[in-house]
Structure formats: C-alpha cells, structure tokens
Amino acid sequence: MSKVLIIGGGAAGMMAGVFAARNHHEVHILEKNEKLGKKVFITGKGRCNVANACDTEELFPAVMSNPKFLYSGFYSFGPQDVMNFFEEAGVPLKVERGNRVFPQSDHSSDIIRALERELKKAGAKVHLHTTVKEIVKKPEAEKVTGVILEDGTFMEGDAVIVATGGFSYQSTGSTGDGYRFARELGLKVTDISPSLVPLKTKEDYIPKLQGLSLKNTGLTIKNGKKVLYEDFGEMMFTHFGVTGPMILSASAHIGAKLAKAENGELCAYLDLKPALTKEQLDARILREFETGQNKQFKNVIGVLFPSSLTPVMLELGGIPAEKKIHDISREERQHFVDLVKAFPFTITGMGEFKEAIITKGGVSVKEINPGTMESKKISGLYFAGEVLDLDAVTGGYNLQIAWSTAYLAAQAIQ
Ligand SMILES: Cc1cc2nc3c(=O)[nH]c(=O)nc-3n(C[C@H](O)[C@H](O)[C@H](O)COP(=O)(O)OP(=O)(O)OC[C@H]3O[C@@H](n4cnc5c(N)ncnc54)[C@H](O)[C@@H]3O)c2cc1C
C-alpha cells in the first residue's frame, strides 16, 4: 500500500482518488478551493457533458494535441467505462445530439456528488483549503518524497499525482500551478494558449447582432482563397464577436493559423440557409417577391430571417430598404442571395484564458509514460488531466481525457 498525494480535486483528481483508494492505497486529495470540482460544476452550462458516447476509436479525431499519446488511456477507460462508472455510482445518464452524454437530471452537481460518494466509500481523505506550494523529490535520486503546503507543512507521500488543471477560467482554481511544479522538477512544458474560445471580429455590424443565436448555420473560414475550416452548427453573436459551440470548435483549429495570417486576420462566412442551394434560395426569395410586388423590400425579406438580423441584411444587401419589389433587378437579387449564402465577417483575435474552455499546451507528453502517466524522469510523479499537453474539441472529449489519464495514473501506482 502506498501513500498517494493528489494535487487538485477537479475531474482528474477526483477520479484518480477513487481508483487509487479502491486499490487500497492511502489517498489524500489536496484541493485549494473550499469544495471539490469547481470547474466540473460549470461544465456543459451547468449540465456537465461528461463523455461522448462514441466508439473508442472515434475519440482520437476529436483530440487536437497528441491524440496517439491517449491510446492506452482511451482503451483502458473509454466512454463506455465512464458511463458505467457514473451509472453504477447512481447517476442515470442520457445521450443527446452528437453523442453528448449528460446526467439525466441535467445537473453537473450530481456528477460531483457521485465522485464524492465514491471517494468516501473507498476511504480517500479530502483536504480542502489546502494549497500545494512545491513537490519535493529526493536530492540524491529522481524519486518524489512528498509535497510542501502553502503554510510550510511537509506532507510525505510515496506517489504524487499532479491534477491541477490548465490555466483557463482561473476563478475555478486552475491557475497553472502544475506547469510550475513540472518546470521546477526539470520537466518540459510546451507553450500554452487559450483554446475553445470566442472569436473577436472587426465589423461594426456584428455587435449590433449581440444576443442573436443561430442554430443551423454553415461556417467557412478562409485565409485569402484557401479554405482553412468548414463546419455546420450553432453560433451566437456577442458585443465583441462570435461564440457558441461551432465557433469554439473552430477556435481550436484556427488559433495558430490566425497568429500567422497576414495582418493577423482571417475571413469568415456564414451560410444562413445551408439547407438550400443558391438556386433553391433564389426560387424561395422569388416566391416571396411574387406575393408582394408592391411592397417595400424591407417588409418582404423579414420572413426569411430572425428580426434582429433583418436590419443588418438590409445594410449589407445593397438593395435600398424602401425599394419596391417590382423594381428590384435580377442582379440585385443575385447579390442578396450571395450575401445570405456567405455572410461575411473578419476574425481579428481569439478570446482570452479567462473565457477559454480549455488550455492548449502544458506538460510535454514526451516526458510522460503513456501507459502509466508517470514521469519518465522522476519516479512516483504522475500527471493527469488538463495539466498535460492534451486538448480536444467540445463534446465531452476533454473530460474523457481527464477521466482516462486519471484512471491510468491510479492503476499504475504499486
Ligand atoms: C465553462 C467550461 C465548460 C466546460 N464544459 C465541458 C464539458 O461539458 N465537457 C467536457 O468534456 N469538458 C468541459 N470543459 C473542460 C473541462 O472542464 C476540463 O477539461 C476538466 O475540468 C479538466 O479536469 P482537471 O481535473 O484536469 O482540471 P480541473 O477540473 O480544472 O481541476 C483542477 C483542480 O486543481 C486545483 N488546484 C490547482 N492548483 C492547486 C494547488 N497548487 N494546490 C491544490 N489544488 C490545486 C484547482 O483548484 C482545481 O480544483 C469545460 C470547461 C469550462 C471552463
């Protein structure tokens, strides 16, 4: 039996704690907050998209950084294992669009409570208001001996699992301490950047649409003529740009490309009627025109869009709002069709860490054994969750990374 110190009582720390304690180790979770799982609480807008009910091999394309490193983790503790774990722990689950798994109750607190119950049942000890300042290793050998807390207390341990999370949404406790621990111990940490973030835009008509949410929209992002990213889904306009699931996923793909683009800008286009081809859309508009030949343009196109979008479509459409339908030329109509199929805006920047769902970069996976999550250099030192250089798109994949890596670390401890 080993004494296991787990730094961080978030998703990875709690899951590692359950399995290490079930394996009869003496487990101590050291969490600086007043409660466990503060970030888990806000996941999935408070509903917690706890996993993605896809086949294990389908997880890999959703991982943006170092997917191959996760082979052992995903195959040892995959989506079905996560779902079984929570169902057995008393949380009935449901699967929604895109295989997203949520608690049936729609309450993330049920996920946290289930983990707390399992920790207690297995005999793990939870120390709240406990900040770890430093990880200690033997001076003469590459082996951890314990941790030093903020008040200077030394806590001895045979194994230390670093589950301190990333650097985003710092109000939840993830302030990047794990990166510091790793560097102090001579491990490599890759550059970090915010990912799954809203995007900032240039045009002044975007803030006018603030609050407008579009469900079925196509998105194309280009650098000059080169298409960088295409997707379809849900998005929202904000006072500074665009957000929503489709935009957050796009941010994970275009971050580096935006940084390298000329003027630091990329062009983006929304297809506001993706179910219709240009010809079908033109026919649809013509049908509207036929019913109101004497009406003004602004009074006819309203049926095609949400009301807050209509003034902006009029502004960009090139057809005077008061123009009578029978005076609108074919070219004007074609131009309007083009606008609906490619509503333009310019991406000028990414959101910041404080609003990022995930941190890209972290403790280099080259330093870590992928089958055990143990440092290759320092024995008894393990890493799990977002602190590692691993990140995925939205859909329950990031929590899956936390659960899988935590499971491997816990099972590896002798
Ligand atoms: C708004 C939002 C919504 C999200 N929604 C989803 C979703 O629906 N599905 C999904 O898969 N992913 C989602 N994510 C991502 C997911 O929450 C993270 O990937 C996951 O929580 C990472 O788990 P972790 O245990 O590595 O880190 P965290 O959950 O961040 O836990 C780290 C813990 O370590 C503690 N800690 C840090 N330093 C110290 C220290 N020195 N001493 C003691 N304790 C310390 C922190 O207080 C914290 O409790 C979301 C993220 C955000 C911000």
Side-chain angles (χ1 to χ4, degrees), residues 16 33-34 73 91 101 105 126 130 136 139 231 262 310-311 366 393 399:
N33 286 329
E34 70 291 357
V91 187
V101 183
S105 64
V126 175
T130 304
V136 186
D231 199 4
E262 207 183 322
T310 306
K366 292 192 185 122
V393 296
L399 280 172

Side-chain angles (χ1 to χ4, degrees), residues 27-306:
V27 173
H28 297 266
I29 297 187
L30 314 172
E31 168 54 57
K32 67 174 162 185
N33 286 329
E34 70 291 357
K35 56 184 171 197
L36 295 176
K38 260 193 156 176
K39 187 173 276 180
V40 177
F41 186 71
I42 60 166
T43 54
K45 297 198 175 115
R47 302 202 299 134
C48 187
N49 178 191
V50 69
N52 192 286
C54 60
D55 291 336
T56 301
E57 66 265 23
E58 290 173 56
L59 293 173
F60 297 98
V63 179
M64 300 299 300
S65 313
N66 302 307
K68 283 186 191 147
F69 176 81
L70 285 161
Y71 194 87
S72 289
F74 283 168
Y75 278 103
S76 303
F77 197 63
Q80 198 53 55
D81 302 305
V82 173
M83 288 189 276
N84 292 345
F85 174 90
F86 284 107
E87 296 258 358
E88 282 162 21
V91 187
L93 300 172
K94 59 177 172 178
V95 181
E96 294 190 359
R97 190 173 46 86
N99 281 332
R100 290 163 196 247
V101 183
F102 294 89
Q104 269 181 26
S105 64
D106 282 331
H107 293 311
S108 57
S109 53
D110 286 353
I111 296 294
I112 301 167
R113 263 191 242 120
L115 285 160
E116 285 173 335
R117 274 197 307 273
E118 294 306 307
L119 283 170
K120 197 167 172 196
K121 236 193 268 172
K125 294 192 179 66
V126 175
H127 306 254
L128 300 174
H129 300 287
T130 304
T131 304
V132 173
K133 204 172 71 180
E134 193 184 329
I135 297 175
V136 186
K137 71 172 181 70
K138 277 189 182 157
E140 74 283 8
E142 297 299 302
K143 163 93 187 81
V144 287
T145 55
V147 300
I148 297 177
L149 306 181
E150 204 175 34
D151 64 4
T153 315
F154 173 68
M155 224 174 151
E156 198 183 359
D158 306 302
V160 172
I161 303 179
V162 182
T164 45
F167 193 62
S168 55
Y169 268 83
Q170 296 182 13
S171 52
T172 63
S174 46
T175 48
D177 296 12
Y179 309 139
R180 178 168 55 80
F181 299 149
R183 278 198 203 97
E184 284 168 357
L185 292 165
L187 306 187
K188 190 169 175 280
V189 179
T190 64
D191 289 345
I192 58 164
S193 58
S195 195
L196 301 182
V197 271
L199 298 173
K200 294 178 186 161
T201 58
K202 191 165 160 181
E203 291 77 10
D204 56 9
Y205 52 80
I206 297 292
K208 291 182 192 164
L209 298 169
Q210 177 179 354
L212 172 65
S213 168
L214 300 174
K215 280 230 156 54
N216 301 311
T217 310
L219 170 70
T220 303
I221 300 177
K222 287 185 179 175
N223 191 359
K225 286 202 170 126
K226 190 173 175 213
V227 175
L228 300 178
Y229 186 73
E230 283 181 300
D231 199 4
F232 171 83
E234 197 176 332
M235 58 85 59
M236 211 175 104
F237 295 92
T238 70
H239 63 288
F240 59 80
V242 286
T243 189
M246 177 172 70
I247 300 294
L248 298 181
S249 290
S251 77
H253 289 86
I254 63 152
K257 288 165 187 150
L258 180 64
K260 282 191 214 139
E262 207 183 322
N263 305 326
E265 293 181 353
L266 294 174
C267 304
Y269 302 91
L270 294 176
D271 183 347
L272 300 172
K273 297 284 174 200
L276 304 178
T277 62
K278 276 192 182 180
E279 292 67 33
Q280 288 168 326
L281 177 61
D282 191 35
R284 167 93 170 77
I285 291 175
L286 265 179
R287 276 206 306 279
E288 291 302 328
F289 280 12
E290 274 157 20
T291 60
Q293 286 291 328
N294 277 318
K295 287 188 186 162
Q296 292 179 332
F297 181 55
K298 65 177 179 192
N299 295 326
V300 174
I301 62 150
V303 295
L304 292 171
F305 309 105

